[in-house]
């Protein structure tokens, strides 16, 4: 599953610095707007200690973690929805992503210029929100004009439903709210809203980029962001991108861990960000474990066994017979697959089984 999270924000808020921490692909981190003209794409692994724990027991030839793509998108400025700056390119690039990592500058530094002259993360957030909302409003107005007449004069149920869904979204956008703030009750309404592919409907994680002193407890800027987004369906993460870039330079895991402890962090911001981005997309992981490899596989929360089998190979889904399932905790507790079987802890599941995060799966199929 090629899933993408787009890093967005105003120029000089730390997007490219954060991207460099996340990926081996080196975007140019410079103190001027638009240093990232073309979107830089990095494939990053999702940290999962379960793989290492299983490897200690199985001693596989290799460990294969799951991944997420991170796209560093050019900085946006006011007027982007009308093509200002790199607006059209920005909006096209962000439309292709599955989720948004919105970086907000929450630190003071007179050596790093701000495109609007002073640090105000709430204002910065509102600038980007407004541009995305304006672009979505164009989309909605166009779609409403197509169905309004049928909805009001004809007996077309689909047109009537579409008009109601589109109108509710338009009302939210006109109030300065994002499309994701509109909650729909029925499957048909949700499907119709989803198929609009609106920019402000995408799940968002606000990444507050702070200085070293604020890396653990945040600061007044972070508090202001929390207050500003309290009614949104969004998450907030505090990261000190400058510190993360220093951590990335250490050669060994032990050195990184020691540095983190010194500044009072249990886990790096990059690791927390990747895990949060993964869950933001409503993703989970099932595992396969054998001598050849211990591997993590990405699936959408709520998927059933045949769909998950199809993640490995389409033939597995087509010819699905059953799934042999071991809970990760049981494998660790008993120490091997055979021991789990002898203890009667392996279950055999059919087509209706909803796969759980951390399930160790073995699929039986016939094509």
């Amino acid at each position: 599953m090629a899933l993408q999270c787009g890093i967005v924000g105003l120029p000089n808020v730390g997007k490219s610095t954060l991207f460099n921490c996340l990926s081996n692909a080196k975007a140019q981190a410079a103190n001027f707007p638009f240093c990232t003209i073309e979107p830089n794409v990095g494939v990053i692994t999702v940290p999962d200690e379960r793989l290492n724990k299983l490897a200690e027991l199985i001693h596989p030839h290799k460990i294969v973690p799951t991944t997420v793509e991170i796209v560093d998108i050019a900085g946006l400025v006011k007027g982007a929805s009308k093509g200002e700056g790199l607006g059209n390119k920005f909006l096209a690039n962000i439309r292709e992503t599955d989720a948004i990592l919105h970086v907000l500058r929450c630190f003071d530094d007179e050596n790093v210029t701000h495109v609007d002259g002073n640090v105000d993360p709430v204002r910065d957030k509102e600038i980007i929100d407004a541009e995305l909302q304006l672009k979505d409003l164009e989309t909605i107005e166009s779609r409403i004009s197509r169905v309004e007449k049928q909805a009001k004069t004809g007996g077309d149920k689909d047109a009537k439903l579409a008009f109601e869904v589109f109108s509710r979204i338009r009302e939210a956008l006109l109030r300065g709210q994002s499309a994701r703030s509109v909650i729909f009750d029925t499957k048909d309404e949700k499907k119709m809203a989803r198929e609009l592919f609106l920019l402000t409907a995408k799940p968002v994680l606000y990444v507050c980029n702070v200085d070293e002193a604020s890396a653990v407890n945040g600061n007044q800027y972070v508090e202001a962001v929390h207050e500003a987004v309290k009614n949104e369906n969004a998450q907030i993460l505090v990261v000190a991108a400058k510190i993360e870039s220093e951590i990335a330079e250490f050669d060994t895991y032990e050195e990184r861990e020691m540095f983190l402890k010194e500044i009072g962090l249990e886990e790096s911001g990059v690791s927390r960000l990747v895990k949060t981005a993964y869950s933001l997309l409503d993703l989970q992981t099932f595992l396969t474990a054998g001598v050849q490899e211990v591997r993590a596989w990405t699936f959408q929360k709520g998927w059933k066994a045949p769909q998950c089998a199809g993640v490995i190979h389409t033939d597995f889904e087509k010819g699905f017979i059953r799934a042999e399932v071991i809970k990760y905790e049981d494998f660790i507790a008993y120490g091997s697959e055979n021991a789990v079987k002898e203890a009667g802890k392996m279950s055999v599941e059919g087509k209706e089984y909803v796969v759980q995060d951390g399930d160790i799966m073995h699929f039986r199929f016939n094509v």
Side-chain angles (χ1 to χ4, degrees):
M1 298 174 70
L3 296 150
Q4 285 191 343
C5 293
I7 300 181
V8 305
L10 293 179
N12 292 351
V13 296
K15 300 188 316 301
S16 295
T17 301
L18 186 62
F19 176 82
N20 289 343
C21 299
L22 287 165
S23 170
N24 290 326
K26 294 296 181 183
Q28 180 190 5
N31 183 23
F32 58 90
F34 309 132
C35 70
T36 311
I37 302 297
E38 294 296 331
N40 291 268
V41 181
V43 178
I44 57 175
T45 59
V46 178
D48 195 334
E49 273 303 306
R50 293 174 299 193
L51 294 175
N52 298 327
K53 297 278 189 183
L54 288 171
E56 289 173 8
L57 297 172
I58 299 171
H59 307 293
H61 296 314
K62 61 180 178 179
I63 301 173
V64 185
T66 190
T67 61
V68 172
E69 287 186 2
I70 302 292
V71 186
D72 183 19
I73 298 172
L76 175 144
V77 296
K78 192 180 294 184
S81 60
K82 302 299 180 185
E84 293 294 325
L86 296 170
N88 291 329
K89 182 176 282 289
F90 173 97
L91 294 165
N93 291 334
I94 196 173
R95 195 177 295 280
E96 294 170 3
T97 64
D98 300 292
I100 298 170
L101 308 179
H102 187 161
V103 182
L104 297 168
R105 177 173 169 176
C106 295
F107 65 90
D108 292 307
D109 187 339
E110 60 185 20
N111 295 316
V112 181
T113 60
H114 191 288
V115 70
D116 282 323
N118 68 308
V119 177
D120 186 342
V122 175
R123 175 204 58 208
D124 295 353
K125 167 198 170 313
E126 290 172 349
I127 287 173
I128 288 191
D129 282 352
E131 296 304 325
L132 299 183
Q133 288 163 9
L134 285 169
K135 203 65 182 177
D136 280 350
L137 196 55
E138 285 182 21
T139 302
I140 282 291
E141 295 287 7
S142 172
R143 297 296 292 270
I144 284 178
S145 66
R146 295 183 204 171
V147 299
E148 187 171 11
K149 187 175 181 181
Q150 288 175 289
K152 290 182 176 179
T153 61
D156 190 328
K157 290 183 179 179
D158 288 340
K160 187 175 181 180
L161 179 64
F163 181 72
E164 290 173 357
V165 168
F166 300 164
S167 296
R168 284 186 62 190
I169 295 173
R170 178 172 62 178
E171 288 169 10
L173 293 169
L174 289 172
R175 289 194 302 267
Q177 298 174 339
S178 296
R180 64 179 164 273
S181 67
V182 184
I183 307 299
F184 293 104
D185 299 320
T186 70
K187 284 185 178 180
D188 289 341
E189 289 174 334
K190 290 175 183 177
K191 182 174 183 289
M192 199 158 283
R194 189 168 55 248
E195 290 176 350
L196 290 167
F197 299 105
L198 297 176
L199 299 172
T200 65
K202 296 178 184 292
V204 63
L205 170 65
Y206 291 105
V207 182
C208 294
N209 184 15
V210 301
D211 54 21
E212 181 175 347
S214 308
V216 178
N217 298 316
N219 55 30
Q220 74 276 15
Y221 294 129
V222 176
E223 290 174 8
V225 174
H226 271 285
E227 180 64 25
V229 306
K230 64 183 180 182
N231 294 322
E232 285 190 35
N233 183 18
Q235 298 184 49
I236 293 177
L237 189 69
V238 176
V239 172
K242 191 173 181 181
I243 291 177
E244 296 296 326
S245 65
E246 293 174 16
I247 293 172
E249 295 299 321
F250 289 120
D251 294 326
T252 67
Y253 174 80
E254 288 73 21
E255 286 177 311
R256 291 193 290 271
E257 286 296 294
M258 190 178 299
F259 184 82
L260 286 169
K261 286 180 181 177
E262 285 178 5
I263 60 176
L265 290 173
E266 294 182 5
E267 187 178 20
S268 75
V270 163
S271 180
R272 287 184 287 117
L273 190 150
V274 175
K275 288 179 180 178
T276 306
Y278 193 70
S279 64
L280 188 70
L281 293 168
D282 217 13
L283 302 177
Q284 292 184 327
T285 302
F286 73 84
L287 309 168
T288 52
V291 175
Q292 289 302 314
E293 67 176 26
V294 168
R295 182 164 183 162
W297 303 85
T298 299
F299 70 99
Q300 206 78 39
K301 184 178 180 181
W303 276 11
K304 295 180 179 179
Q307 290 173 287
C308 288
V311 173
I312 298 176
H313 197 287
T314 52
D315 285 348
F316 284 26
E317 182 174 8
K318 290 175 185 174
F320 178 88
I321 299 172
R322 65 180 183 273
E324 296 169 356
V325 184
I326 298 174
K327 295 300 178 183
Y328 167 78
E329 294 78 9
D330 289 334
F331 198 109
I332 298 301
Y334 290 95
S336 72
E337 183 176 325
N338 285 337
V340 171
K341 289 179 180 177
E342 288 173 7
K345 290 291 185 178
M346 187 186 80
S347 63
V348 178
E349 307 290 351
K351 293 182 178 181
E352 295 304 309
Y353 176 69
V354 178
V355 177
Q356 302 300 305
D357 185 60
D359 278 354
I360 300 170
M361 309 289 292
H362 182 71
F363 297 106
R364 299 291 184 180
F365 71 102
N366 182 31
V367 176

